[in-house]
Amino acid sequence: MAQMMYRDAVLTTIAEEMERDSSVVVLGEDVVGGMGTPGGPEAIGGIWSTSTGLFDKFGKDRVIDTPISESAIIGAAAGLALAGKRPIAELMFADFIGVSLDQIWNQTAKFRYMFGGKTKCPVVIRMAYGAGYNAAAQHSQSVHQILTGMPGLKVVMPSTPADVKGLLRQAIRDDDPVIFLEHKALYGMSGEVPEGADQIIPFGHARLARAGEDVTIISSGLLLGFCEAVADKLAAEGIGCDVIDLRTTSPLDEEAIIDSVEVTGRVVVVDEAPPRCGLAADICALIAARAFASLKAPPQAVTPPHTPIPFARELESAYLPSVDKIEAAVRHVLGWR
Amino acid sequence: MAQMMYRDAVLTTIAEEMERDSSVVVLGEDVVGGMGTPGGPEAIGGIWSTSTGLFDKFGKDRVIDTPISESAIIGAAAGLALAGKRPIAELMFADFIGVSLDQIWNQTAKFRYMFGGKTKCPVVIRMAYGAGYNAAAQHSQSVHQILTGMPGLKVVMPSTPADVKGLLRQAIRDDDPVIFLEHKALYGMSGEVPEGADQIIPFGHARLARAGEDVTIISSGLLLGFCEAVADKLAAEGIGCDVIDLRTTSPLDEEAIIDSVEVTGRVVVVDEAPPRCGLAADICALIAARAFASLKAPPQAVTPPHTPIPFARELESAYLPSVDKIEAAVRHVLGWR
Amino acid sequence: MQLSREALQRAYRQMKVIREFEERLHTEIQTGEIAGFTHLYCGQEAVAVGVCEHLDIDDKIVSTHRGHGHCLAKGCELNGMMAEIWGSREGLCKGKGGSMHIADIDKGMLGANGIVGAGAPIAVGAALSAKIDNKGKVAIAFSGDGACNQGTTFEAMNFAVVTQAPCIFVFENNHYSEHTGVDYAVGTARDIASRAEAFGMKVWRADGTDFFAVHDTMREVLDFVRGGGGPAAVEFDTERFFGHFEGDPQRYRAKGEIERIRESRDCLKNFRISVTGAKLLTDADLDQIDQDVLDSIEAAVVAARAADRPTPEDVLSDVYIAY
Amino acid sequence: MQLSREALQRAYRQMKVIREFEERLHTEIQTGEIAGFTHLYCGQEAVAVGVCEHLDIDDKIVSTHRGHGHCLAKGCELNGMMAEIWGSREGLCKGKGGSMHIADIDKGMLGANGIVGAGAPIAVGAALSAKIDNKGKVAIAFSGDGACNQGTTFEAMNFAVVTQAPCIFVFENNHYSEHTGVDYAVGTARDIASRAEAFGMKVWRADGTDFFAVHDTMREVLDFVRGGGGPAAVEFDTERFFGHFEGDPQRYRAKGEIERIRESRDCLKNFRISVTGAKLLTDADLDQIDQDVLDSIEAAVVAARAADRPTPEDVLSDVYIAY
Ligand SMILES: Cc1ncc(C[n+]2csc(CCOP(=O)(O)OP(=O)(O)O)c2C)c(N)n1
Ligand SMILES: Cc1ncc(C[n+]2csc(CCOP(=O)(O)OP(=O)(O)O)c2C)c(N)n1
Ligand SMILES: [Mg+2]
Ligand SMILES: [Mg+2]
């Protein structure tokens, strides 16, 4: 086990996979940095420091710095994949799916199906998402709810450095397109990371972050930590929470969810996406359909309001689900009779 | 009352509003047709015949035929709106939000909020959506679930010619951006349309298409007709269905939904979008949260499977919710004990 | 015109296959048996064939909504294509793709595409793969005069120049995008090629209805690109014989336009005149090919009609998961 | 340089306000008091001011992530901007937008924009509105050398040419997009202007650090566009004095680069040399402006600090509905 930051777990996993498999290729804006400048290549290595050193190690054919052309980035990744490579494309911010959605949704995601299974399309699209940086309405969004709804895509949302490692390795080796969502506010998080190149976490297997029998709390990404804090606080009062870290939203570990709710009968789903047609509603509906008889209280969602993301510190804090709001929701379902 | 086709309801409403308000402007690909050709302008008037004759009547400044540049179409509409006009932009197919999403989601939808209420953004974005034409994976999709999840947008899905008229009129006069979704398979539908320029249907008010006390069926668009067929069949057996036509998915008429389910205790939500993070899940979650105590059976969703849309007739039919599948779901919730 | 007799026969056969494939579809579509949207390539055969005759299986192409010609020229199997358009389970894509999504990755045909302009970035990616492999292979992006106004096409051109990807942008200017004229929609000061040139590429132009002009031009282009010259663009002036889609009333055409182009700008007719005039092939040679082709098309239609239909369960395969 | 004394004073003041606004932000940001991403415009003032001095309130501009200069030059109120960046309720956007989303529609300032390249199509729309109104008004799209590779920018240029929208694309080439050099990312054979030209527009080029060059060029451009000549593009060669964002280590710069550009390509310094040399204004005149500006900046900061903070309920206003 090594202590490692979330961002370094991204970088080292990419580097190890590039070492192992020469078909792995990285592309994105400033993933090298300094191209065509007096300072020269590797002046930055990615604005999140998730590709630092790759250019020096693997050269310009495999570490491709790109113009600000996100559609071309994703399209090129798709073309690389159809031609037999395993591209890892970076969108600097998840919000930039806005300028590249067609290539994600109508191209990459659909090739295998549209072409009758005649091809695989092993593209990883990494992107930094989430609020907490006061980056306002166009640089703070969660997009997993949009992409989870798109057949053909797998969607991954690690919430610890260890999960980054195991899930990113699976993503790179996966034959289907994978959206790999890195929460901006977690890049600096440190944690234990198992060593060894075959530490792989298969998709569709949630992680039980806390175990308890009174209530189920379901989340992922930044908010998972908030849920753990609530669980720890309630544990001190003798209330037991199952905290389920989804890890992947598509495929979804339906069994882990249903099994837990069948025991607890009470559930809170906490998600950073807007409320309408979001992941929280998706999971609440699943539970209502499949664990109806076990439910002792209505499945409760905790999400931001249905508004764009505001800039000012006070506003963004009020916008995001907080530990207090999650705790209140948990107490609400616990108190339901 | 006049008998009118769904497509003609679109065209006449646009024409009437353009007549009434000189700030209304239309733009899109081939909305004139024949520009720069030997045949000359008005060679087509929109591939759905929803803008035929407008160019002759209102001239080239107000009826703007565009290159195949959907981002520029939506962006130009946003700019027209910020500058005081009321643009109606057409995306030929809803699937083309893929190449224009940023301008819809990060621009048009957010201006009013990001700018602190300093502006309105009265853009109508019309688009033809839905399956049933064997147009395959890139020309058959439903997108209301994606856009409903985006704060700042209003989303409208008329299922009759009369609703086209009343809702489109509201859309054009609305000060917020409105997504107006026209189902391809309904363009040829005929129906009674009330006359008079103030036939307006306000947003957020569902329509009760059938009334009954045993089960609630919720839908919109093409599938609404399927639901009505099921209700009519069951009525013959003495089973009463409330069939709720949502009309707008954002804002959503939560009260109409909850009121009905509180009476029936049983509900089926039928939607054409994929199952994950879709509208059906959204509404089932709402019901589970707000009508929990009234529910006699798990809220049931009927949607296509989580796959791209296949081409062949047999495959597309198997993909889409059918009258039979809806009926089976309704009988399932009716039989739940 | 330094082609061998065999090469000439092959080129003619390829163009004729496309022509008859499309003419037959045009007829069959009237019966209502074929579902979905079908865009016919008829009239543009010399481009697809003049380009693809230079390619081998490891070169890649990315096509458009009007893709049948590119597919056939790149080696997709005729029966598989016909069956696909018929929505059969034995189609190249098991009936899941249809006319707008025919692909055969093993043949280097990376897909027709229903989204105008979507192909160009994908071709750049395939070209970057070829660059990594460093074996002189290329990728071709076919685009129409309408597609050349889509942001993706522009991004792809700049991207290819920046990364020096061995990508060739082939613009088939058939003067119309759906019902709109190129003179309206492409605001460019001069032609499409000039616009590509401003992106920093070497460009060529040729008559896209003349097989030999296309073939000769592409030889130069391919020498340049395979030789490491970076990306390139070519604009071919060509003609579409049918409507944009089947059912198009074509009110945007000039009176007599179709008759005129069928008369004077038919690549097959002109090919025949050239090669028989130069005594490289005889009318009898060509007539024989014509007959073979018609037979193979007939056989393909018969096979497509008889082919297995997909089953409802097929909806759920070829995708990672079904909820 | 046919400007009146008042006009010269005004231009200098406008540039100076931007300069000091940015220098002060640069200092304040170190304290951690200001949240979010801030991109400083320092060094490029002559472009914003040289362009906007020609505009009136009915002309529109659309800006970028580096928008403070454009906002101030177009007449956005200093205190409202400072308060916005401070995230205050009294900010121009009530603290909801912040640095990247400052807008003042009434002043014809249609918004800074966090999405690179998003502004150009919006400007075309504003220009189409002006065309309908037919009063000789224009819209300006400011774009960087990086933004000029985004598909939306290309689409917008073609769209403007096709619709003959009175839109002016102002490219501020400051040689960098984030950490990447323009020589790498813009593959164009020649300059950005040539690429714009290939879209069918008349183009101009000038030194963007020289107020008079910008101002004179824009007079010509605006005469052309207001006169119905259609859209146009201008490329200004300019310099960014600070990092891409605050905190950027700028390892991509040449050694001594910042000192050099601050020394020789400072629009304020060079303006002072020109006008005092030509005896149009005295050093004392300019010093007076400097002092006034510093005072007003100080006052704006004091006011921003003291301004009302937004409340949690404010999250839910200015949007049609909150579920
Ligand atoms: C993004 C997108 N916009 C619009 C369309 C609808 N559409 C299909 S083909 C076409 C015209 C394409 O013209 P061109 O590129 O010249 O190709 P051609 O049809 O002439 O072969 C249009 C507008 C589409 N499929 N995708
Ligand atoms: C669509 C999109 N891609 C990437 C970014 C991240 N980003 C912000 S500014 C910038 C560089 C822009 O360069 P340029 O257009 O030259 O403007 P400058 O920063 O030099 O003013 C990038 C890549 C973004 N905001 N939006
Ligand atoms: Mg064309
Ligand atoms: Mg720049």
Side-chain angles (χ1 to χ4, degrees):
Chain A
M1 291 284 222
Q3 193 73 15
M4 192 180 277
M5 274 203 288
Y6 189 96
R7 65 156 51 83
D8 295 328
V10 175
L11 174 58
T12 57
T13 309
I14 295 175
E16 285 165 21
E17 292 297 301
M18 290 187 80
E19 195 76 64
R20 192 186 60 80
D21 179 350
S22 66
S23 69
V24 178
V25 172
V26 164
L27 69 167
E29 292 158 19
D30 278 323
V31 293
V32 181
M35 299 299 283
T37 69
E42 279 294 345
I44 179 99
I47 73 154
W48 308 109
S49 307
T50 48
S51 49
T52 316
L54 297 180
F55 180 85
D56 279 350
K57 223 185 224 146
F58 302 103
K60 76 173 179 354
D61 280 355
R62 291 182 63 200
V63 185
I64 304 169
D65 210 316
T66 72
I68 308 178
S69 307
E70 283 81 1
S71 284
I73 293 172
I74 307 297
L80 278 156
L82 291 182
K85 301 294 183 286
R86 292 191 170 271
I88 306 174
E90 176 178 303
L91 290 185
M92 206 179 265
F93 287 82
D95 313 71
F96 305 162
I97 67 165
V99 287
S100 56
L101 189 72
D102 184 72
Q103 291 290 343
I104 300 174
W105 173 45
N106 286 325
Q107 312 299 330
T108 311
K110 295 190 167 82
F111 286 150
R112 183 172 146 209
Y113 191 84
M114 285 194 304
F115 299 166
K118 284 250 161 65
T119 186
K120 53 190 188 183
C121 195
V123 172
V124 178
I125 307 177
R126 295 176 44 239
M127 44 185 107
Y129 78 102
Y133 266 52
N134 304 106
Q138 296 174 335
H139 283 75
S140 306
Q141 295 173 99
S142 289
V143 300
H144 55 279
Q145 73 288 3
I146 300 171
L147 300 167
T148 296
M150 297 179 167
L153 297 176
K154 294 176 178 170
V155 181
V156 185
M157 299 180 76
S159 52
T160 67
D163 278 8
V164 165
K165 192 119 218 182
L167 292 166
L168 183 52
R169 196 171 271 128
Q170 173 59 36
I172 296 169
R173 298 186 189 183
D174 205 284
D175 282 345
D176 279 312
V178 178
I179 306 293
F180 196 84
L181 295 163
E182 300 163 17
H183 200 293
K184 289 194 273 295
L186 293 179
Y187 274 128
M189 176 194 203
S190 265
E192 293 289 316
V193 174
E195 273 156 281
D198 25 74
Q199 284 292 340
I200 289 190
I201 301 173
F203 291 166
H205 293 272
R207 177 174 72 94
L208 196 64
R210 295 288 185 279
E213 308 212 324
D214 298 312
V215 60
T216 304
I217 310 178
I218 300 172
S219 192
S220 60
L222 175 69
L223 301 182
L224 199 265
F226 295 20
C227 297
E228 290 174 327
V230 170
D232 292 345
K233 179 164 177 198
L234 295 180
E237 299 177 22
I239 299 169
C241 306
D242 260 3
V243 177
I244 297 180
D245 178 356
L246 292 173
R247 282 179 166 163
T248 61
T249 62
S250 182
L252 182 71
D253 190 347
E254 301 192 358
E255 298 324 310
I257 295 169
I258 300 303
D259 288 352
S260 172
V261 176
E262 279 175 350
V263 172
T264 63
R266 301 175 194 273
V267 61
V268 174
V269 185
V270 180
D271 191 51
E272 202 176 320
R276 297 297 316 284
C277 298
L279 184 70
D282 181 78
I283 293 175
C284 287
L286 169 76
I287 292 166
R290 290 201 39 205
F292 186 71
S294 313
L295 280 175
K296 299 176 197 149
Q300 181 83 20
V302 180
T303 70
H306 194 65
T307 72
I309 303 177
F311 161 67
R313 287 204 175 94
E314 294 86 340
L315 295 172
E316 195 191 57
S317 302
Y319 171 87
L320 268 181
S322 62
V323 170
D324 287 352
K325 282 182 220 159
I326 298 167
E327 183 185 335
V330 173
R331 291 194 188 276
H332 175 75
V333 300
L334 282 166
W336 184 277
R337 290 286 165 262
Chain B
M1 292 282 226
Q3 193 75 13
M4 191 180 277
M5 275 204 288
Y6 189 94
R7 66 157 49 85
D8 295 328
V10 174
L11 173 58
T12 57
T13 308
I14 295 175
E16 286 165 21
E17 292 297 301
M18 290 186 80
E19 195 76 64
R20 192 187 58 81
D21 179 351
S22 66
S23 69
V24 178
V25 172
V26 164
L27 69 168
E29 293 158 20
D30 279 323
V31 294
V32 181
M35 299 298 284
T37 70
E42 278 293 346
I44 179 98
I47 73 153
W48 308 109
S49 308
T50 48
S51 49
T52 317
L54 297 180
F55 180 85
D56 278 351
K57 223 186 224 144
F58 302 104
K60 76 173 177 355
D61 281 354
R62 289 181 64 200
V63 185
I64 305 170
D65 209 316
T66 73
I68 308 177
S69 308
E70 283 82 0
S71 284
I73 293 171
I74 308 296
L80 278 155
L82 291 182
K85 301 296 183 285
R86 293 191 170 268
I88 306 173
E90 176 179 301
L91 289 185
M92 206 180 264
F93 288 82
D95 314 71
F96 305 162
I97 66 165
V99 288
S100 56
L101 189 72
D102 184 72
Q103 291 290 343
I104 301 174
W105 174 44
N106 286 325
Q107 311 300 329
T108 311
K110 296 190 167 82
F111 285 150
R112 182 172 146 209
Y113 191 83
M114 285 195 302
F115 299 166
K118 284 249 160 65
T119 185
K120 52 189 190 185
C121 194
V123 172
V124 179
I125 308 176
R126 294 176 46 239
M127 45 185 108
Y129 79 102
Y133 265 52
N134 305 106
Q138 297 173 334
H139 283 75
S140 306
Q141 295 173 99
S142 289
V143 299
H144 55 278
Q145 74 287 4
I146 300 172
L147 301 167
T148 296
M150 297 179 167
L153 298 175
K154 294 175 178 170
V155 181
V156 185
M157 298 179 76
S159 51
T160 67
D163 278 7
V164 164
K165 192 120 217 181
L167 292 166
L168 183 52
R169 196 172 273 129
Q170 172 60 35
I172 296 168
R173 299 186 189 183
D174 205 283
D175 282 345
D176 280 312
V178 178
I179 307 293
F180 196 84
L181 296 162
E182 300 162 17
H183 201 294
K184 290 194 272 296
L186 293 179
Y187 275 128
M189 177 195 203
S190 264
E192 293 289 316
V193 174
E195 272 155 281
D198 26 73
Q199 284 293 338
I200 289 190
I201 302 174
F203 291 165
H205 293 271
R207 178 175 71 94
L208 197 63
R210 295 287 186 279
E213 308 213 324
D214 299 311
V215 61
T216 304
I217 310 179
I218 300 172
S219 193
S220 60
L222 174 69
L223 301 182
L224 200 264
F226 294 21
C227 297
E228 290 174 326
V230 170
D232 292 344
K233 181 165 175 196
L234 295 180
E237 300 178 20
I239 300 169
C241 306
D242 259 3
V243 177
I244 297 181
D245 178 355
L246 292 173
R247 282 180 164 161
T248 61
T249 62
S250 184
L252 182 71
D253 190 347
E254 301 192 357
E255 298 323 310
I257 294 169
I258 301 303
D259 288 352
S260 173
V261 176
E262 278 174 351
V263 172
T264 61
R266 302 174 194 273
V267 61
V268 174
V269 185
V270 181
D271 191 51
E272 201 176 321
R276 297 296 316 284
C277 298
L279 184 71
D282 181 79
I283 293 174
C284 286
L286 169 77
I287 291 166
R290 290 199 40 203
F292 186 71
S294 312
L295 280 175
K296 297 177 196 147
Q300 182 83 20
V302 179
T303 69
H306 193 66
T307 73
I309 303 176
F311 162 66
R313 286 204 175 94
E314 293 87 339
L315 294 173
E316 195 191 59
S317 302
Y319 171 88
L320 267 181
S322 62
V323 171
D324 287 352
K325 282 181 220 161
I326 298 167
E327 182 184 335
V330 173
R331 291 194 189 275
H332 174 75
V333 299
L334 283 166
W336 185 277
R337 288 287 166 263
Chain C
M1 229 201 270
Q2 325 114 305
L3 289 174
S4 71
R5 194 179 145 78
E6 289 63 40
L8 289 171
Q9 279 173 315
R10 205 188 117 87
Y12 180 80
R13 179 185 302 272
Q14 289 287 80
M15 293 195 291
K16 186 71 181 176
V17 167
I18 299 172
R19 172 67 52 90
E20 295 303 337
F21 190 88
E22 302 291 74
E23 293 280 3
R24 181 66 179 262
L25 281 181
H26 182 67
T27 311
E28 296 294 340
I29 282 164
Q30 324 296 319
T31 70
E33 208 174 316
I34 294 172
F37 296 145
T38 322
H39 306 91
L40 301 181
Y41 189 70
C42 218
Q44 306 181 200
E45 297 87 348
V47 177
V49 176
V51 170
C52 291
E53 283 297 283
H54 289 288
L55 307 182
D56 74 18
I57 207 157
D58 293 323
D59 294 308
K60 316 287 186 196
I61 72 167
V62 180
S63 173
T64 69
H65 58 288
R66 199 176 299 289
H68 305 164
H70 308 136
C71 292
L72 287 164
K74 191 67 175 57
C76 291
E77 210 232 320
L78 171 58
N79 284 16
M81 283 183 57
M82 196 67 89
E84 184 60 32
I85 291 166
W86 243 266
S88 143
R89 204 165 196 253
E90 295 168 26
L92 264 185
C93 306
K94 302 188 193 156
K96 289 184 173 173
S99 167
M100 274 195 292
H101 305 296
I102 296 177
D104 197 343
I105 307 297
D106 293 341
K107 298 274 167 58
M109 201 292 157
L110 306 189
N113 208 313
I115 302 295
V116 167
I122 298 167
V124 177
L128 287 170
S129 178
K131 189 180 171 218
I132 294 172
D133 297 341
N134 198 21
K135 292 180 184 146
K137 296 299 161 195
V138 304
I140 311 261
F142 288 100
S143 302
D145 50 288
C148 88
N149 298 320
Q150 181 68 250
T152 48
T153 308
F154 301 127
E155 286 191 6
M157 290 197 275
N158 183 58
F159 203 93
V161 171
V162 168
T163 56
Q164 287 295 294
C167 188
I168 300 163
F169 299 89
V170 172
F171 291 104
E172 295 183 72
N173 182 348
N174 63 8
H175 319 134
Y176 299 103
S177 56
E178 295 211 341
H179 314 271
T180 298
V182 63
D183 291 344
Y184 177 76
V186 180
T188 305
R190 288 175 52 217
D191 53 7
I192 295 171
S194 307
R195 197 152 79 175
E197 195 167 24
F199 277 92
M201 276 181 288
K202 199 160 149 72
V203 303
W204 282 261
R205 299 166 182 84
D207 179 351
T209 67
D210 175 349
F211 169 80
F212 298 102
V214 175
H215 197 261
D216 290 349
T217 304
M218 286 308 296
R219 182 177 297 114
E220 278 182 39
V221 176
L222 280 156
D223 284 349
F224 174 81
V225 176
R226 291 197 203 277
V234 199
E235 178 174 354
F236 292 115
D237 187 90
T238 183
E239 304 289 351
R240 130 160 100 68
F241 285 179
F242 288 117
H244 168 62
F245 52 84
E246 286 305 86
D248 176 0
Q250 302 190 65
R251 285 196 297 270
Y252 47 83
R253 299 265 197 184
K255 219 170 112 60
E257 176 178 331
I258 294 175
E259 294 70 22
R260 181 171 45 72
I261 58 180
R262 284 228 183 224
E263 183 54 40
S264 67
R265 301 204 72 207
D266 179 335
C267 56
L268 282 158
K269 270 196 198 154
N270 293 338
F271 185 99
R272 184 182 280 259
I273 293 168
S274 297
V275 294
T276 53
K279 303 217 183 319
L280 297 168
L281 297 174
T282 65
D283 274 318
D285 292 333
L286 296 168
D287 291 347
Q288 180 61 48
I289 294 174
D290 288 356
Q291 194 52 54
D292 289 354
V293 165
L294 282 170
D295 292 349
S296 67
I297 300 285
E298 174 63 22
V301 169
V302 169
R305 275 213 178 96
D308 276 358
R309 302 301 306 170
T311 65
E313 299 74 56
D314 291 336
V315 171
L316 303 180
S317 59
D318 302 318
V319 62
Y320 77 93
I321 199 165
Y323 290 100
Chain D
M1 231 197 271
Q2 324 115 305
L3 290 174
S4 71
R5 194 179 145 77
E6 289 63 40
L8 289 170
Q9 280 173 314
R10 203 187 120 87
Y12 181 80
R13 178 184 302 273
Q14 289 288 80
M15 293 197 289
K16 186 71 181 175
V17 167
I18 299 172
R19 173 68 51 88
E20 296 303 337
F21 190 87
E22 301 292 72
E23 293 279 4
R24 180 65 179 262
L25 282 181
H26 181 66
T27 311
E28 296 293 341
I29 283 165
Q30 324 295 319
T31 71
E33 207 175 317
I34 294 172
F37 297 144
T38 322
H39 306 90
L40 300 181
Y41 189 71
C42 217
Q44 305 181 200
E45 297 87 347
V47 177
V49 177
V51 170
C52 291
E53 283 298 283
H54 290 289
L55 307 181
D56 74 18
I57 207 156
D58 292 324
D59 294 308
K60 316 287 184 195
I61 71 166
V62 180
S63 173
T64 69
H65 59 288
R66 199 175 298 290
H68 305 166
H70 308 135
C71 292
L72 286 164
K74 191 65 175 57
C76 291
E77 209 232 320
L78 171 59
N79 285 14
M81 282 184 59
M82 196 67 90
E84 185 59 31
I85 291 166
W86 243 266
S88 143
R89 202 165 198 254
E90 295 168 27
L92 265 185
C93 305
K94 301 188 195 157
K96 288 183 174 172
S99 167
M100 275 195 292
H101 305 296
I102 296 178
D104 198 342
I105 307 298
D106 293 341
K107 298 274 166 57
M109 200 293 157
L110 306 189
N113 207 312
I115 303 294
V116 167
I122 298 167
V124 177
L128 287 171
S129 178
K131 189 180 171 216
I132 294 171
D133 297 341
N134 197 21
K135 293 182 184 146
K137 296 299 160 194
V138 303
I140 311 260
F142 287 99
S143 302
D145 51 289
C148 86
N149 298 320
Q150 182 67 250
T152 47
T153 308
F154 302 127
E155 286 191 6
M157 290 196 277
N158 183 59
F159 203 94
V161 172
V162 168
T163 56
Q164 287 294 297
C167 188
I168 299 163
F169 299 89
V170 172
F171 291 104
E172 295 183 72
N173 183 349
N174 63 8
H175 318 133
Y176 299 103
S177 57
E178 294 212 342
H179 314 271
T180 299
V182 62
D183 291 344
Y184 177 78
V186 180
T188 305
R190 287 176 53 219
D191 54 8
I192 296 172
S194 306
R195 197 151 80 176
E197 195 168 23
F199 278 92
M201 275 182 288
K202 199 160 150 70
V203 303
W204 282 260
R205 300 167 181 84
D207 180 351
T209 67
D210 175 348
F211 169 79
F212 297 103
V214 175
H215 197 260
D216 289 350
T217 305
M218 286 307 297
R219 182 178 297 113
E220 278 182 39
V221 176
L222 280 156
D223 283 349
F224 174 81
V225 176
R226 292 197 202 278
V234 199
E235 179 175 354
F236 291 116
D237 187 90
T238 182
E239 304 288 350
R240 125 161 104 66
F241 285 179
F242 289 117
H244 169 61
F245 51 83
E246 285 305 85
D248 176 359
Q250 302 191 64
R251 286 197 297 271
Y252 48 83
R253 297 267 197 185
K255 220 172 111 58
E257 177 177 330
I258 295 176
E259 294 70 21
R260 182 171 45 70
I261 58 180
R262 283 229 183 225
E263 183 51 41
S264 66
R265 302 203 71 205
D266 179 336
C267 57
L268 282 158
K269 270 195 198 155
N270 292 338
F271 185 98
R272 182 182 282 259
I273 292 169
S274 298
V275 293
T276 53
K279 302 213 181 321
L280 298 168
L281 296 175
T282 65
D283 275 316
D285 292 334
L286 298 169
D287 291 346
Q288 180 60 48
I289 295 174
D290 288 355
Q291 193 51 54
D292 290 354
V293 166
L294 282 169
D295 292 347
S296 67
I297 299 286
E298 174 63 23
V301 170
V302 169
R305 274 213 179 93
D308 275 358
R309 302 302 306 169
T311 65
E313 300 73 58
D314 291 336
V315 172
L316 304 180
S317 61
D318 301 318
V319 61
Y320 76 94
I321 198 163
Y323 288 101

